[in-house]
Amino acid sequence: TCEAEAARAAMGGSASLLPRETLGEYQELTFLSKQEILLAYKRFSELLPKEERENACSARVPKSQILTLPELRANPFQHRICRVFSTSDDRDDSMSFEDFLDMLSVFSDSATSDIKSHYAFRIFDFDDDGTLDRKDLEKLVNCLTGQGEESRLSNTEMEQLIRNILEESDIDKDGTINLAEFQHIVSRSPDFARYGGLQW
Amino acid sequence: SSASLRILANMPSRTIGRSRGAIISQYYNRTARLRRRSSRPPLQQLCHTARPSLRQYDLETDPARATLEDKRSLLVKELLSLSPSQRSHMLLNVPLSLAEKRTLRQELSGQRGPLRQHAQCRAPSSLCGWSKDYIILVSLGYGSAQQLSGALVQAPAPVLSPGSLSLQGCRGLWYRLLSLLPAAKPWHYALKQIGGRFGSSVLSYFLFLKTLLMFNIISFLILLVFVVALQAAYPPASTSPQSFTGLELLTGAGYFTHSLLYYGYYSNVTLNDPCASSPNDSASPLTAPPLPYNMPLAYVFSVGVSFLVTCVLLVYSMSCSFRESYRVGSSAGDLAVKVFCAWDFKVIQRRSVKLQCENICTQLKELLADQQSRSRSLSLCQRLGHSAVLLLAWALSLSTVLGCVLAVHYFSEHMHAVTWGSSERQQEAILLVLPFMVSLLNMLMPHLYNLLATWEKQDSPVAQVYVAICRNLILKMVVLGLLCYQWLSRRVVCSTEECWETCVGQDLYRFVVMDFIFTLLDTLFGELVWRLILEKKLKRKQKPEFDIAQNVLELIYGQTLTWLGVLFAPLLPAVQTLKLLLLFYIKKTSLMQNCQSPSKPWQASHMRTVFITLLCFPSFLGAAVFLSYTIWSVRPSETCGPFQGLENIYKSGKTWVQVLEKSNPNITWFAWVHQHLVENTFLLFFVSGVLLAVIYFNIQVVRGQQRIICLLKEQIANEGEDKIFLIQKLHSVYEQRER
């Protein structure tokens, strides 16, 4: 329609548009508003090289590019986030636009605590075996306390910490924390939803 | 052995987190349960395990054993049987990837029948749909240009989504409007900057400031529309105004005395009264009849309504944040919670991330050390010593509070004696000394309390913070209480004035302005100068910390002053609004330049509950009590203000009811209601009784739920033992087979 042409001309350049049915679909299926989806589209296409910006909807952005986003650049969980949200078949952690939207939706402020805790569990599950065992917990604590040598916990402290965590959260006493137990623990903290929100 | 490990890896409790099929079958179970229970509301909203009970287990119909496509079609069938809103809610909350959700949605819309979809497509382009996009465009333009320049946008064509029938479309429009409102918020980018660098706890201070700003703007608008604007349109017979010197901005006296700012300016007559105009008016009969406006009534009702609205908003936000932060059955031991919920994803700058890692490490180490020391029980001697130190610290802080109160009392008497023999200008300057002294005390004493707290060494660092807040608050509230007593009894302050309400209003104005000046000085010296000293003289890398508790209490103090003064100076909320606006920018600049994020453990939402509760209970309640006492029991002055000559302010309302009764005998029920419900104390007792019963009932419900939680935990532990037993059996079976 001529209105669409005018809008395109006003925006300038060969900016490609998001089809309006998909915009509506995305808004119904994620926790993002239309405005946020459009902003996400803009940011996603900026990560692509110029030639591929036309079909940003079907392109995949390699992991190295995703990690240049300021919100993920310094995050210690950046690799896990890319792994969890990526639906790539080659397991190279590249993200399509829908994966990107998934990530924004889960981290938005309007996402439910259920969804956030589900994905947090998957992010913290470093070996992808469906539970958090001792090794996962150790890696988690090391991520939290930073990579520097001075700010790591000593071995005894780590042992004590992991023992306490398992005592408090492992209800069926099998030595690991599964999704249900994790969600139960996290529902006790009202800060989880607040801290687990990225402002884009 | 590897075979048993493979079986273990496929257990439902382990696959739910990661396999699509498991998630789909879990949500199939949830929707089935939802459908069966849709006649009565579910007792628990969350249903964590999806393990079917073994008694009802049937290998043939177990959905967990079906293939992925079968599972998907089962889920689609279940979703079709739900109502559209429930269906979209379910789809939104399924933790699957977006591609999977789109497939499900397409299957759903495909199965719902092509005819229905076609009919919806042919629905006329709803105004709601078109205006939706228009509003999006407008808000896109409204949002900050730097963020959204070049945003890709659709031409404003009507949007047809399945299910956008007119009523639902309008509701959708309302939801869209609501979702757009946050994006059009002011200070959105500034708050993002602060959160990104300092984390959620410092951000909570600025959000609290925004909340206070909203309260003040609402009060100001109510008073502006109903009182101030009308009095400005009908100014009373003016006394000769004094010339404007700059000192008025500080003292509020002089030029401002006979202005809209204070109580004394407002008239006690009905404005625009038709009876007052002469009957032989030469005005043409076509002029509209003037609307009489009873100013005293408007004054007292506007103040009452603004307090009521503030009360409702406060109680609502307090209940919201309390609901967020209170959890049933949260027992002791929160190390796991701390570890899982420690990471604040809002922090994005590299330096701040590193700082956050260090903070988390320090906190964890402190908690672990605490636990170790607690497990080693203290000897009797040490415990006695510790209690003695605590008692001494509290005695010291309470005695300093008493000392401050006495100092303020004698100082104000002394000042009053001094003003007798001095010139006009000197008198006005002397008026500033008492607010100066009170603000000075409020600024210095908290530092003393911080020193006391470090000497005291509380059990946990969180308790240390709470104790410091408590002491600070006691000081401020007791000093304010003394000042209120002085204002109402008028034995020292304002005893010579004819129009004592204006005098009290001026005093409160001075306190508000002085509080602002001292906050600026505190920011300047506490943050800027301290940082320069640390960097240049002491050569330390650390910057001063942003003291959240101290700053929040300053905000609460300023807001209490405003609420106390609304009756006497109706424009005080405007002054406070201006003050808060300036404070936001000054604090933000100082924060960015001079401070680092706090190293003490702060739980942001818990703190938010505490701040709002402190704002409600000592602050707002005290102001409401002060206001009620003034309205009900204090005699207004004879010569100025809207309530001249009346016995008390409440009488104006009573006489109005009597006048109404006389003029219109049909509304005697109103007077009856007023007499029997408002003035009779029986209603109050009845309402209190009902409230107590409700509270008792809720406490019993909570206790019952805690007991159920204990029982369920035991059950789960038993199931866990069963699982371990079966796993061991499985291991032994495979080992035997291998042999």
Side-chain angles (χ1 to χ4, degrees):
Chain A
T1 66
C2 56
E3 285 166 305
E5 287 294 335
R8 221 175 301 190
M11 291 306 147
S14 56
S16 63
L17 297 167
L18 205 57
R20 77 161 175 254
E21 300 92 26
T22 30
L23 185 63
E25 252 192 84
Y26 286 153
Q27 200 214 354
E28 274 189 34
L29 295 175
T30 62
F31 290 99
L32 303 169
S33 65
K34 281 203 171 93
Q35 190 181 13
E36 290 167 340
I37 297 176
L38 291 169
L39 194 59
Y41 189 70
K42 171 176 165 278
R43 294 190 74 176
F44 187 75
S45 46
E46 278 169 9
L47 292 173
L48 289 168
K50 266 203 159 55
E51 319 81 58
E52 294 186 33
R53 281 187 199 173
E54 284 293 316
N55 8 339
C57 276
S58 40
R60 294 199 86 95
V61 170
K63 180 171 166 184
S64 48
Q65 280 289 97
I66 293 276
L67 293 183
T68 61
L69 282 171
E71 285 82 356
L72 288 181
R73 215 173 9 209
N75 198 316
F77 298 105
Q78 49 186 216
H79 301 286
R80 284 301 305 164
I81 290 176
C82 284
R83 167 63 59 91
V84 163
F85 286 103
S86 153
T87 54
S88 136
D89 299 316
D90 321 322
R91 314 222 76 208
D92 61 353
D93 296 345
S94 61
M95 288 176 71
S96 69
F97 180 57
E98 293 186 347
D99 298 338
F100 189 66
L101 276 187
D102 252 340
M103 180 171 71
L104 294 188
S105 164
V106 167
F107 279 111
S108 79
D109 282 327
S110 35
T112 57
S113 163
D114 228 3
I115 285 267
K116 279 195 206 271
S117 55
H118 192 277
Y119 277 94
F121 180 78
R122 286 177 63 185
I123 292 174
F124 292 157
D125 187 11
F126 285 85
D127 49 11
D128 273 327
D129 64 352
T131 56
L132 301 179
D133 55 10
R134 296 189 88 95
K135 292 197 292 295
D136 289 327
L137 290 174
E138 227 180 278
K139 283 201 202 134
L140 171 64
V141 172
N142 281 330
C143 269
L144 285 177
T145 57
Q147 305 303 323
E149 271 312 309
E150 326 83 45
S151 66
R152 278 183 174 239
L153 295 183
S154 69
N155 279 335
T156 37
E157 285 172 337
M158 184 69 82
E159 275 303 311
Q160 189 190 353
L161 182 62
I162 293 183
R163 197 173 3 119
N164 277 311
I165 293 176
L166 286 176
E167 219 177 273
E168 289 167 19
S169 29
D170 190 13
I171 307 181
D172 60 0
K173 308 273 182 279
D174 64 350
T176 64
I177 302 177
N178 60 21
L179 178 64
E181 290 161 350
F182 181 78
Q183 282 182 324
H184 176 73
I185 285 281
V186 147
S187 70
R188 273 201 235 152
S189 162
D191 287 322
F192 183 70
R194 198 172 299 265
Y195 282 170
L198 273 166
Q199 262 178 312
W200 297 82
Chain B
S1 65
S2 64
S4 56
L5 279 176
R6 236 182 303 132
I7 294 179
L8 279 178
N10 282 323
M11 276 200 297
S13 65
R14 295 195 185 200
T15 54
I16 262 176
R18 59 190 172 90
S19 118
R20 265 183 300 163
I23 295 175
I24 290 179
S25 50
Q26 181 193 22
Y27 272 81
Y28 162 73
N29 283 333
R30 273 197 206 185
T31 44
R33 235 168 270 141
L34 191 64
R35 187 170 52 83
R36 268 181 260 130
R37 273 197 199 162
S38 57
S39 53
R40 65 186 163 103
L43 281 173
Q44 300 142 330
Q45 272 186 321
L46 299 173
C47 171
H48 286 297
T49 61
R51 277 189 275 174
S53 163
L54 283 174
R55 259 179 279 146
Q56 296 158 10
Y57 187 66
D58 181 5
L59 212 60
E60 300 300 312
T61 60
D62 183 12
R65 289 175 56 92
T67 59
L68 192 60
E69 287 73 29
D70 294 337
K71 286 184 198 173
R72 207 182 284 144
S73 50
L74 276 172
L75 181 62
V76 166
K77 220 180 355 162
E78 276 299 328
L79 283 177
L80 276 175
S81 55
L82 293 175
S83 70
S85 61
Q86 273 180 326
R87 194 182 312 146
S88 50
H89 184 73
M90 263 296 169
L91 263 184
L92 196 58
N93 281 315
V94 169
L96 291 170
S97 68
L98 196 52
E100 276 280 338
K101 285 199 224 186
R102 289 183 76 188
T103 345
L104 276 172
R105 193 168 178 277
Q106 274 160 14
E107 279 190 40
L108 274 173
S109 47
Q111 289 213 18
R112 226 158 346 133
L115 195 65
R116 192 163 158 204
Q117 202 180 18
H118 197 60
Q120 278 161 5
C121 273
R122 267 215 244 112
S125 56
S126 56
L127 185 65
C128 299
W130 178 83
S131 37
K132 254 190 270 185
D133 288 288
Y134 183 70
I135 290 173
I136 290 170
L137 277 178
V138 165
S139 70
L140 279 176
Y142 184 89
S144 68
Q146 72 209 68
Q147 281 186 58
L148 298 167
S149 57
L152 303 152
V153 76
Q154 286 288 293
V159 168
L160 300 161
S161 50
S164 66
L165 305 169
S166 53
L167 187 64
Q168 272 188 344
C170 284
R171 205 188 318 150
L173 169 65
W174 175 242
Y175 290 151
R176 305 287 189 270
L177 260 179
L178 284 183
S179 72
L180 284 176
L181 275 176
K185 265 192 302 202
W187 296 336
H188 179 70
Y189 186 62
L191 291 174
K192 178 179 168 176
Q193 240 187 327
I194 294 174
R197 216 173 114 181
F198 295 97
S200 307
S201 49
V202 173
L203 192 62
S204 65
Y205 166 79
F206 287 91
L207 291 173
F208 187 65
L209 204 153
K210 258 183 77 172
T211 318
L212 285 182
L213 191 67
M214 181 191 71
F215 284 149
N216 280 304
I217 288 179
I218 291 178
S219 300
F220 171 57
L221 283 176
I222 293 178
L223 285 168
L224 181 74
V225 168
F226 292 108
V227 174
V228 176
L230 288 153
Q231 188 65 66
Y234 292 91
S238 54
T239 53
S240 55
Q242 304 177 341
S243 58
F244 182 80
T245 61
L247 201 59
E248 270 87 31
L249 287 174
L250 278 182
T251 60
Y255 180 70
F256 282 159
T257 317
H258 297 287
S259 69
L260 280 169
L261 190 54
Y262 297 116
Y263 175 97
Y265 188 78
Y266 294 86
S267 57
N268 68 330
V269 297
T270 308
L271 300 172
N272 220 1
D273 199 350
C275 309
S277 55
S278 64
N280 297 330
D281 221 353
S282 56
S284 68
L286 287 175
T287 52
L291 204 63
Y293 196 77
N294 192 339
M295 184 46 92
L297 218 54
Y299 196 92
V300 71
F301 276 162
S302 308
V303 171
V305 162
S306 76
F307 259 76
L308 194 69
V309 166
T310 313
C311 182
V312 165
L313 285 173
L314 258 182
V315 169
Y316 176 70
S317 44
M318 199 169 69
S319 71
C320 277
S321 48
F322 189 73
R323 204 184 324 145
E324 269 180 22
S325 68
Y326 179 69
R327 288 286 182 269
V328 177
S330 38
S331 49
D334 45 359
L335 215 51
V337 177
K338 280 213 164 47
V339 167
F340 291 139
C341 309
W343 188 258
D344 188 353
F345 281 88
K346 279 199 169 62
V347 177
I348 53 183
Q349 279 199 7
R350 207 178 289 269
R351 223 177 342 154
S352 316
V353 163
K354 194 158 162 292
L355 209 66
Q356 193 182 44
C357 289
E358 284 170 10
N359 281 344
I360 292 178
C361 183
T362 326
Q363 281 174 42
L364 285 176
K365 287 195 175 164
E366 269 180 20
L367 282 170
L368 289 170
D370 239 0
Q371 227 190 21
Q372 288 277 51
S373 65
R374 225 183 300 154
S375 57
R376 276 184 250 118
S377 58
L378 295 168
S379 68
L380 186 66
C381 213
Q382 280 179 319
R383 250 184 288 170
L384 273 179
H386 192 63
S387 329
V389 166
L390 271 178
L391 271 174
L392 195 63
W394 270 105
L396 208 64
S397 46
L398 287 176
S399 55
T400 50
V401 167
L402 197 63
C404 289
V405 163
L406 286 173
V408 168
H409 179 67
Y410 287 124
F411 193 76
S412 64
E413 283 190 350
H414 175 72
M415 277 294 118
H416 183 70
V418 164
T419 53
W420 273 115
S422 37
S423 73
E424 179 88 17
R425 287 295 296 271
Q426 267 189 331
Q427 273 185 2
E428 295 203 347
I430 281 173
L431 290 169
L432 284 173
V433 180
L434 184 65
F436 181 86
M437 207 194 104
V438 170
S439 295
L440 191 69
L441 278 176
N442 277 329
M443 194 175 86
L444 293 177
M445 298 307 286
H447 294 295
L448 179 71
Y449 292 144
N450 282 339
L451 278 174
L452 217 63
T454 47
W455 171 64
E456 214 182 358
K457 279 201 248 304
Q458 288 280 347
D459 278 332
S460 66
V462 186
Q464 207 174 11
V465 165
Y466 280 136
V467 163
I469 290 180
C470 220
R471 288 178 182 155
N472 206 345
L473 196 68
I474 291 177
L475 172 73
K476 289 188 157 78
M477 290 301 141
V478 172
V479 167
L480 273 181
L482 173 75
L483 289 170
C484 288
Y485 170 72
Q486 280 189 341
W487 285 321
L488 286 182
S489 66
R490 276 163 293 136
R491 259 186 268 138
V492 176
V493 181
C494 299
S495 51
T496 52
E497 300 276 337
E498 272 198 12
C499 198
W500 64 268
E501 291 99 343
T502 303
C503 175
V504 171
Q506 285 171 340
D507 226 5
L508 275 159
Y509 175 86
R510 284 188 285 266
F511 270 90
V512 167
V513 169
M514 202 50 77
D515 178 51
F516 177 57
I517 292 175
F518 267 82
T519 314
L520 287 180
L521 284 176
D522 195 19
T523 313
L524 193 68
F525 285 107
E527 294 177 10
L528 178 64
V529 172
W530 190 234
R531 170 180 77 98
L532 290 172
I533 291 179
L534 280 178
E535 270 185 18
K536 305 274 162 55
K537 289 289 178 74
L538 302 177
K539 297 267 192 282
R540 263 190 263 171
K541 265 305 181 79
Q542 264 184 329
K543 288 190 181 174
E545 275 184 21
F546 186 77
D547 193 347
I548 301 176
Q550 166 78 335
N551 281 299
V552 166
L553 282 176
E554 272 175 24
L555 282 180
I556 293 181
Y557 175 72
Q559 189 60 41
T560 318
L561 286 174
T562 311
W563 280 331
L564 287 173
V566 162
L567 185 66
F568 303 112
L571 282 180
L572 209 54
V575 174
Q576 175 80 351
T577 307
L578 209 65
K579 179 179 142 188
L580 287 174
L581 278 172
L582 287 171
L583 211 59
F584 182 88
Y585 290 107
I586 293 170
K587 283 282 175 189
K588 173 174 170 282
T589 322
S590 166
L591 181 75
M592 289 294 179
Q593 305 284 341
N594 302 329
C595 295
Q596 69 175 30
S597 50
S599 59
K600 293 199 199 104
W602 283 94
Q603 287 170 292
S605 61
H606 205 50
M607 279 297 120
R608 188 181 135 78
T609 316
V610 168
F611 296 161
I612 291 274
T613 312
L614 287 179
L615 188 66
C616 195
F617 281 120
S619 168
F620 182 77
L621 200 66
V625 164
F626 178 74
L627 184 80
S628 317
Y629 183 75
T630 314
I631 289 184
W632 255 278
S633 308
V634 174
R635 197 187 179 85
S637 59
E638 298 283 334
T639 55
C640 71
F643 307 105
Q644 299 166 10
L646 291 174
E647 200 185 304
N648 54 40
I649 299 179
Y650 186 65
K651 275 278 182 303
S652 64
K654 267 179 111 160
T655 44
W656 174 67
V657 170
Q658 285 167 356
V659 161
L660 261 188
E661 226 182 329
K662 260 185 260 167
S663 68
N664 195 349
N666 285 341
I667 45 174
T668 41
W669 60 267
F670 189 70
W672 181 88
V673 159
H674 177 255
Q675 192 191 349
H676 286 263
L677 289 186
V678 176
E679 299 221 320
N680 198 349
T681 49
F682 172 69
L683 184 72
L684 208 64
F685 283 125
F686 181 69
V687 167
S688 313
V690 167
L691 203 65
L692 283 173
V694 167
I695 292 174
Y696 175 74
F697 178 70
N698 277 316
I699 291 177
Q700 292 304 317
V701 165
V702 163
R703 277 215 203 129
Q705 285 181 337
Q706 279 171 338
R707 230 176 297 157
I708 289 183
I709 288 174
C710 283
L711 287 174
L712 286 175
K713 276 198 182 160
E714 269 184 42
Q715 236 184 324
I716 295 176
N718 286 335
E719 297 263 339
E721 279 181 29
D722 283 348
K723 190 165 79 170
I724 291 178
F725 172 75
L726 287 171
I727 290 172
Q728 283 169 350
K729 276 283 178 204
L730 203 67
H731 273 304
S732 59
V733 162
Y734 269 102
E735 271 170 25
Q736 274 183 354
R737 199 190 285 186
E738 265 166 34
R739 269 186 248 132

